[in-house]
Amino acid sequence: MLRPYPIPATSLTIPASRAVTALAALVALAAFVSACRRGQTASIRHEIEHGGRTRAYYVHLPPDSANGKPLPVVLNFHGGGGDAQGQERYSGMDAVADEEGFIAVYPDGTGRFGERLLTWNAGGCCGSAQDEAVDDVGFVRALIADLSAVTPIDRSRIYATGLSNGAMMSYRLGAEAGDLIAAIAPVAGAMTLESFAPARPLSILHIHSVDDPRALYDGGIGPPFPLTNRRVEHQPVESVLAQWATFDGCPSEPAEAERMEGPPGTDQTATLWVYSPCSDGVEVALWKLTGVGHVWPGGAPDYLKRILGPSTSIIDANREMWAFFPRFALPR
């Protein structure tokens, strides 16, 4: 697989409404473009009504948005207990979005404590979103409709990624919204769907450490969620990918495509395994890491190290997924 080679955000709030008016759309777009032309990093908060709830998401537009051309979109979902702005800061995706010219979108999950301790209903996980059967797939569809009303997007190139519970959410979108999502890149979280019936083959780049202390690589019951007694049943990463590889018409065994060693004195490694060729030009790939925790590779270093384990820069998750995503698009 060919591979080319956290910024503080300015927030604006667009009032919640059931339908984005033409005037509101123009105001929002003007704010986007103005910020981009001034070379500023703009993170714009939008609110929409969906499923009887006010839902929020944050949008980062690259400088390329100033020319009005439809741009690809990457949906970046926070982990369980996190939030959109925290994921924006931690993952550091905005910098790559600016370089490569895609729109980075950070949605907020839901929770019982306002804007704190948010989760996603990823099927078999997690928290109150799962307990209350929140329609997060429907929310994402509404989000994309709302986003397209305020800035031009390329509907054939909408991608999903996320960390932990957010990774699980990206899998659910890939399986249940294949008409919307062109490819996914889950990080440190496997699929947790109760039923598996995707509408079409899907390209997947999964990133995960065998030494992840929370989303267990080989599957099983993970440790309690911090400050709770709640635990999650994780699916084995390689079993999930084998399931998708079979559905996608890929070889039953992956081939090693690349291997990297970490800095001297560490036990960190990164090995790229690829299932290819597959049906319909799709691909399933795995960056299998060792010596690394429950983290976003290339993200903010040593974040909650006692809980999540060692960080790493052996690969940069943002750059790896953007080397992967543009090769796949939905039919126009």
Side-chain angles (χ1 to χ4, degrees):
M1 185 173 67
L2 296 177
R3 298 187 293 114
Y5 275 67
I7 301 176
T10 300
S11 292
L12 298 177
T13 301
I14 306 300
S17 64
R18 292 189 178 274
V20 179
T21 66
L23 178 59
L26 288 172
V27 170
L29 182 56
F32 287 157
V33 173
S34 177
C36 292
R37 285 176 175 168
R38 294 195 304 270
Q40 296 178 358
T41 297
S43 178
I44 311 298
R45 176 185 169 97
H46 275 237
E47 292 181 353
I48 59 175
E49 297 295 321
H50 183 266
R53 304 169 187 265
T54 300
R55 303 295 303 267
Y57 66 97
Y58 292 79
V59 181
H60 174 87
L61 268 78
D64 284 357
S65 64
N67 64 23
K69 180 181 177 181
L71 297 180
V73 175
V74 177
L75 299 162
N76 189 342
F77 296 91
H78 62 75
D83 59 53
Q85 289 185 300
Q87 179 67 3
E88 181 178 18
R89 290 190 296 268
Y90 174 55
S91 68
M93 180 175 279
D94 290 352
V96 179
D98 286 347
E99 292 174 17
E100 302 294 344
F102 64 85
I103 301 168
V105 177
Y106 305 90
D108 261 337
T110 59
R112 297 191 177 102
F113 306 101
E115 297 184 358
R116 299 173 56 227
L117 301 178
L118 306 178
T119 59
W120 299 103
N121 179 10
C125 184
C126 292
S128 63
Q130 179 193 9
D131 296 342
E132 298 172 16
V134 174
D135 180 14
D136 279 324
V137 174
F139 163 56
V140 171
R141 290 187 181 277
L143 182 164
I144 292 299
D146 188 64
L147 178 65
S148 66
V150 296
T151 192
I153 66 173
D154 184 344
R155 295 293 294 254
S156 70
R157 296 196 293 159
I158 299 173
Y159 309 103
T161 184
L163 176 69
S164 191
N165 180 207
M168 299 171 187
M169 185 63 207
S170 72
Y171 266 115
R172 184 167 195 179
L173 287 171
E176 298 183 5
D179 60 310
L180 185 73
I181 303 298
I184 65 172
V187 179
M191 188 171 66
T192 61
L193 294 179
E194 296 176 357
S195 62
F196 181 76
R200 66 168 187 87
L202 179 75
S203 293
I204 300 169
L205 173 63
H206 190 109
I207 302 172
H208 212 125
S209 172
V210 300
D211 297 309
D212 189 317
R214 304 204 65 82
L216 307 180
Y217 184 88
D218 291 324
I221 301 292
F225 189 83
L227 305 178
T228 76
N229 292 320
R230 188 147 187 168
R231 305 174 76 181
V232 174
E233 174 77 27
H234 297 278
Q235 300 303 308
V237 170
E238 293 180 20
S239 295
V240 167
L241 293 176
Q243 185 177 21
W244 272 103
T246 298
F247 179 83
D248 285 349
C250 309
S252 59
E253 297 294 331
E256 183 176 330
E258 189 172 351
R259 179 178 170 83
M260 293 186 287
E261 301 286 339
T266 74
D267 59 352
Q268 294 187 0
T269 66
T271 306
L272 179 63
W273 295 91
V274 179
Y275 297 81
S276 182
C278 308
S279 301
D280 298 330
V282 304
E283 186 175 292
V284 175
L286 165 68
W287 269 114
K288 184 176 182 179
L289 311 181
T290 67
V292 175
H294 186 62
V295 299
W296 188 275
D302 297 328
Y303 178 70
L304 297 177
K305 186 175 181 179
R306 292 182 60 183
I307 297 174
L308 304 181
S311 60
T312 189
S313 58
I314 192 169
I315 63 170
D316 183 319
N318 300 315
R319 295 187 184 280
E320 295 300 331
M321 64 182 67
W322 191 250
F324 183 80
F325 282 155
R327 295 162 44 211
F328 309 102
L330 296 177
R332 292 183 181 272

